[in-house]
Each structure stands twice: as C-alpha cells, then as structure tokens.
Amino acid sequence: MRPRPTVPGAWWPRPLIGLLLLAGVVWWSPLDALTDAFEAIDVGLALSALGIGLATTVLCAARWWTVARGTGLCLPWSRAVGDYYRAVFLNAVLPSGVLGDVHRAIDHGRDAGDVPRGVRAVVLERMAGQVVLAAAGAVALFVLPAASTGPGVVTVAVWAGVAGLVAAVAVGAPRLGRRRDALWWRVLTETARDVRNGLCTRTTGPAVLVLSVAALAGHVTLFVLAARAAGVTEPVGMLPPAVAALIAMSVPAGVGGWGPREAVTALVFGAVGLGASVGLTVSVVYGLLALVASLPGGVVFLWRLLRVEDRQVGGEPLDQGREQVPPLDGRGA
C-alpha cells in the first residue's frame, strides 16, 4: 500500500518554522554573537553541563518512575533512567522535540502490556513538569518588561488550561454519563483514575511537585552557567530570562528547541537592556550545553540498538509470535 502523501505535511512545517526563526535571529544579529558562543565552550564547561544534565535527568526519571508506579505500571529504576536519557537525546536531535518521549511511552507501554496506560503515564509526567514551568513563567511575567511578555503568555495560558482540564476530568469523570459500557466512558474513567493515582495522591502528588521544581532548578542552573560563560556578570537577573527560554523550548517547533529559544531569549535580553545579541549568544551557549548534556542518552541509544542487533544475529527471536507465520508461498521449508 502506498503511503499517504499527507503524513509528511503533518510534521515538517514545525522544524521548518524553528529553523526559519533561528536563521532570522542569526541574520539580524552581528556575526560575533554566534562565534562568541562557540568560543565560550571549553572542557570544564562541557563537564559541568554533563554533571547538571545527569542530575536533571535523574530527577525527571524519578518523576516518571513515581507517576508510572502510581498508575500501576512496573518500571524498574535503572530502565527509567536509561529510557529518559535516551528520550532526552532523541528530543535534542530529532524534529519537534517530542519524538523521544513518544518512543519512551510506546516502548514502555508495550513491554508493560498496556500501551495506552504507558502513554498516559508519560503524558502526565511531562505535563507535571510543564505546569510547574508555566507557574514559574507566570511569576516571570510580573518581573519582565511588558515588551518581552508576549511570547510566554500563550504558553502559560495553554498549560494552565491543560491543567484545569485534567483536574476537571479527574474530579468530574465519575459523575458523567450513563452509558458506562461506552468506549469513551472507559477511556475517560481510566484517564481520571491514572490522573488521581499518578499525580494526586498523598504520596505521588508531593513527590512529583518536588521533583519537578528540582528539575526546573537544574535547567535554570544550566542557563545561568551559559550566561556566565557568555560574559553576563549578573547571574541572579538571569532567572526570568531563563524561564522564558525554557518556555520557548517547550514549543514543539524546530529541533531541540533551536529557533524559538533564540528568538525569545534575544527579545527578552533586548527588553531588559542587556542587548539582543547577548541574548543570542547566551541562548546558543545554552543550546550547545544542553546538547552536550544529552550525549549520554546517545550512548544508551546506540548500546541498546547494538544489543538488539546482536540478539537478532545470534538467533534469539525478539517476538516468539513471528516464528508461527507460515511461508508466503504456502509450502513448508
């Protein structure tokens, strides 16, 4: 069967928009803003990024582990860390910035025997982090000048709306509908149950909140480190711009956050009087450090890929059901 021609159109405009934003910011800014970013990277800075990346990845993996176990899924701790590292790397190098999470959700759900619940666990885990980021962004809106608040308002409003919708589903689903045998009713009640068990119990709720805040602090620390490497001498004043940059990175456009992050960071730095070119330099340094921090995930990806290939070459079937497929010509071997 021939593939549908509409499938590529569903995803390719997003990375193109991000790349166009990045090209526009780079074209508008002096060339030194870009070259200074690459010159600021050294071995010590890269090692610091790896350390911060390890801490934030472990915190995010712990959040996923907490949500998944709260929803009733089995998720070993070592696998949670490895899968999360791999997802961070794939998000950094593939278009749209969410394909690593999609792979993580489906892969874990398939192994756990419940793909829909595996997907919901990842969605809830990511949503928890984004809601905390949106709350931090809402605070930043009162600190940043009015000229720089526009790019973050929509994202903050969207995630606030998502949080309100999820809360309404979790509370109101058991009271809705009469045809409880309908598919939509089962999906709604299962989602509400996973929201309550994964995010809203006395055990999971505080743990997810603390882990999300700690992970956000790790990302902000990496941004502050990038600002210091770019020559910014007031790291405390980098907190609102850091939150604005992280909100921009959450937009599913570009590759690894490139494009929206540079545009918003340049705008914010220009609005606070530090200069748009300085904002571009800081953003590029941060993007490079974030890529370095994700490299252990690339090692995990390659190691697991090679392990699967070794199992296939060694004759160990990955799916026992495949051995039962008869020959295509209807004859025996």
Side-chain angles (χ1 to χ4, degrees):
M1 181 181 295
R2 296 178 60 184
R4 292 191 206 171
T6 57
V7 172
W11 64 269
W12 69 264
R14 295 180 179 180
L16 180 60
I17 291 173
L19 293 176
L20 289 176
L21 281 173
L22 179 61
V25 174
V26 171
W27 176 79
W28 186 266
S29 304
L31 183 61
D32 293 344
L34 192 62
T35 58
D36 289 347
F38 287 92
E39 294 176 355
I41 305 294
D42 55 23
V43 176
L45 197 60
L47 292 176
S48 298
L50 286 172
I52 296 173
L54 173 62
T56 55
T57 302
V58 169
L59 289 168
C60 291
R63 182 177 62 198
W64 180 34
W65 181 84
T66 301
V67 173
R69 290 175 65 88
T71 59
L73 292 174
C74 177
L75 179 60
W77 170 249
S78 59
R79 172 167 185 175
V81 176
D83 282 10
Y84 215 102
Y85 244 131
R86 180 182 59 184
V88 169
F89 172 75
L90 294 178
N91 287 342
V93 299
L94 294 179
S96 78
V98 296
L99 295 181
D101 293 320
V102 172
H103 182 271
R104 170 167 61 100
I106 296 177
D107 191 41
H108 174 236
R110 184 179 299 157
D111 290 346
D114 193 340
V115 174
R117 180 165 294 178
V119 172
R120 287 195 296 269
V122 171
V123 170
L124 292 177
E125 176 267 323
R126 291 291 295 163
M127 187 194 70
Q130 293 297 323
V131 168
V132 170
L133 176 60
V139 174
L141 292 179
F142 293 99
V143 178
L144 293 173
S148 62
T149 59
V153 170
V154 175
T155 303
V156 171
V158 167
W159 280 110
V162 169
L165 178 62
V166 170
V169 169
V171 174
R175 304 176 182 178
L176 295 177
R178 295 181 178 179
R179 295 184 56 192
R180 299 192 176 188
D181 57 338
L183 177 60
W184 71 268
W185 173 261
R186 292 198 301 270
V187 172
L188 192 62
T189 53
E190 289 174 1
T191 301
R193 183 178 61 247
D194 289 341
V195 170
R196 291 194 301 269
N197 296 336
L199 296 178
C200 302
T201 68
R202 295 181 179 179
T203 302
T204 59
V208 170
L209 177 60
V210 171
L211 290 169
S212 298
V213 172
L216 177 59
H219 294 304
V220 172
T221 300
L222 186 62
F223 188 91
V224 172
L225 186 67
R228 291 180 63 89
V232 178
T233 58
E234 299 179 0
V236 177
M238 291 299 97
L239 297 181
V243 174
L246 292 173
I247 290 176
M249 287 182 64
S250 67
V251 177
V255 179
W258 291 93
R261 179 185 60 231
E262 281 66 39
V264 170
T265 307
L267 177 63
V268 170
F269 271 67
V272 299
L274 294 175
S277 61
V278 176
L280 174 61
T281 301
V282 172
S283 182
V284 172
V285 173
Y286 177 83
L288 294 174
L289 294 180
L291 181 60
V292 170
S294 72
L295 291 181
V299 176
V300 174
F301 175 75
L302 291 177
W303 178 73
R304 292 186 177 178
L305 184 64
L306 292 175
R307 186 179 64 175
V308 170
E309 292 180 352
D310 289 343
R311 290 178 60 188
Q312 290 176 334
V313 172
E316 298 182 12
L318 298 179
D319 187 353
Q320 297 292 342
R322 294 179 182 176
E323 294 184 353
Q324 305 301 324
V325 179
L328 295 178
D329 58 3
R331 295 175 296 178

